[in-house]
Each structure stands twice: as C-alpha cells, then as structure tokens.
Amino acid sequence: MKRITILIADDEAEIADLVALHLQKEGYHILKVSDGRAAVQAIESQTIDLAILDIMMPGLDGYEVTRHIREHHHLPIIFLSAKTSDLDKITGLVMGADDYMTKPFNPMELVARVNSQLRRSIQFSQPAAIPKSVLEVRGLMISPDEHTVTLYGEVIELTPKEFDILHLLVSHPKQVFSAENIFQQVWGDAYYESGNTVMVHIRTLRKKLGEDINKNKFIKTIWGVGYTFNG
C-alpha cells in the first residue's frame, strides 16, 4: 500500500510538531519544513500527497508556495494560519487552497479535514472504469478525463474545486444546488458552516468564465435556494 506523505510548512516549530504528532498517529509519513523555499524544494524533490501551509513564512509565503503548487502539481492544500479575517480566508481559497483553518485550532478537526481531502484526492486519482463523456454547452467544453475546461476553444485554468463545482452544475442542468449540497458533494465532507467557501469559489469561477464582462451567464443564482447551471 502506498505510503501517504504530508508536508507541514510552518516556521513555528511547536505548531509543526503538534500537527505532525496527530497525523503520525493516523499512520501518515510527515515531512516538516520551516520556510517557503524549503517547501517548494520538498514538493519538487519527492511525492507529496497533501500540503499544510502557514501563510506568514520566511523566504516565500504560503500564497507564493500555493501559486507554485497550482502551476505544477495537483495535490490538496490546507492553510493553517494565524490570519483570521474573512479577506485572508477568501484570498487563500482564491489562490487555490482547498481548505483554511485558523490558529488556535483543534488538532482533531485538522486531522478530520486532512482525511477528507485525502479521500477526495485518492478517489479522483483512481482510473475510471468507463470513460466519462465530454460535456459541451454553448461553447463551454468540459473534459472530466483530462480535467480541462475550454470556452470557445480557449483553455480556462480552474483550481480542482472550481472544476468540480462547474462539472457538478453542468452535469445536472436545471437542478438547483444549495451551498450545503455543493460543499458535501465537492468537498465530500460535512458542511461545517462553509457557505462562504462555496460562495467564494462560485464568484471566482464566474470571473474566469467571463461573466463579469459579458452577458453569457453560465451559473445562475436562485436567491434563497442556491445555484444552477444556466444551460
């Protein structure tokens, strides 16, 4: 069975040690680094299955490390940061993080979120027994097998969660999904009060699809209910 390796990048040794202790009890192999450059070097030199990143680190901060990961790799990222404002959380999610926890934190909740992200990642990486069909609507083409999206032939760069949300909506035209429905199906976990997480991903997804500069609205908001694909 493949050994799962988790990278912990945090310049607070006590925090890194606490996180490592709880994750090692789950049977994970842990790699700890104390700055952003070391985190990038670790990701480039070996197979990392999930990264837990602080934001305020020497060398490269967590945002810069996330940008590098999203340009070159496909792995879950969880921010664990003392930055607690809504803007900080939104920025982290927009940059491509899959989850965001603030310090101080409950170690067991972090373990639960790690397990959830890894379940989702492992399920996604399994080869499909039957090829999935390419979805094409109004110039929008979604290829689940290649995990790509094009709009009128132009590639649209989406984070894994943005892709999953779009694929969910397009796969079920005219069906309305609440924020809770979307979170449970895309994140594969309990809701946690994560309405803002879904809202931020929908907002950035709309922007990448060009909905802020034209009238070609793909995602429709049903006020008080949720979201649906406007096919």
Side-chain angles (χ1 to χ4, degrees):
M1 185 175 179
K2 178 182 179 294
R3 181 177 68 169
I4 293 177
T5 299
I6 296 177
L7 173 67
I8 302 171
D10 198 314
D11 59 341
E12 295 183 76
E14 296 84 357
I15 296 291
D17 290 343
L18 176 64
V19 173
L21 175 65
H22 284 272
L23 291 175
Q24 284 169 338
K25 290 180 180 178
E26 294 289 304
Y28 298 127
H29 175 245
I30 304 301
L31 180 63
K32 293 183 293 183
V33 297
S34 58
D35 65 79
R37 295 190 187 281
V40 170
Q41 184 177 12
I43 290 165
E44 292 304 320
S45 63
Q46 56 192 291
T47 300
I48 302 296
D49 297 287
L50 181 143
I52 299 174
L53 307 178
D54 187 17
I55 293 178
M56 296 178 290
M57 293 187 293
L60 300 175
D61 65 23
Y63 295 143
E64 293 171 303
V65 175
T66 297
R67 185 182 297 111
H68 175 88
I69 292 173
R70 287 291 170 249
E71 288 176 353
H72 303 282
H73 304 277
H74 185 90
L75 61 96
I77 299 171
I78 298 176
F79 275 131
L80 183 60
S81 174
K83 297 170 76 67
T84 61
S85 75
D86 287 342
L87 179 59
D88 293 322
K89 296 176 184 178
I90 290 170
T91 300
L93 294 170
V94 169
M95 290 294 295
D98 298 285
D99 204 348
Y100 192 113
M101 287 190 67
T102 57
K103 302 173 183 177
F105 63 99
N106 183 326
M108 297 310 298
E109 181 182 349
L110 176 60
V111 169
R113 295 193 184 202
V114 166
N115 289 338
S116 173
Q117 292 297 333
L118 286 170
R119 282 197 305 269
R120 178 76 182 173
S121 178
I122 291 170
Q123 288 171 1
F124 173 77
S125 65
Q126 296 300 316
I130 302 175
K132 298 178 182 177
S133 300
V134 172
L135 301 175
E136 186 171 6
V137 184
R138 296 197 287 123
L140 181 68
M141 184 177 292
I142 304 172
S143 174
D145 290 329
E146 298 179 357
H147 219 251
T148 58
V149 174
T150 59
L151 182 59
Y152 301 118
E154 181 180 349
V155 176
I156 306 297
E157 298 290 345
L158 301 181
T159 67
K161 289 296 185 288
E162 290 166 356
F163 180 92
D164 290 344
I165 292 172
L166 182 62
H167 185 261
L168 174 66
L169 296 178
V170 178
S171 299
H172 301 82
K174 298 183 180 179
Q175 181 174 340
V176 180
F177 290 88
S178 67
E180 181 176 359
N181 293 152
I182 293 173
F183 189 85
Q184 289 173 340
Q185 294 200 47
V186 171
W187 275 260
D189 206 352
Y191 190 48
Y192 286 126
E193 301 182 356
S194 299
N196 285 341
T197 299
V198 173
M199 182 183 67
V200 169
H201 281 77
I202 292 285
R203 182 189 306 161
T204 57
L205 183 54
R206 282 173 162 160
K207 185 174 182 180
K208 290 180 179 181
L209 293 173
E211 293 192 4
D212 56 336
I213 58 176
N214 61 54
K215 297 181 179 180
N216 195 18
K217 305 296 183 183
F218 290 104
I219 300 173
K220 182 179 180 181
T221 299
I222 308 299
W223 296 109
V225 182
Y227 305 95
T228 186
F229 181 71
N230 187 22

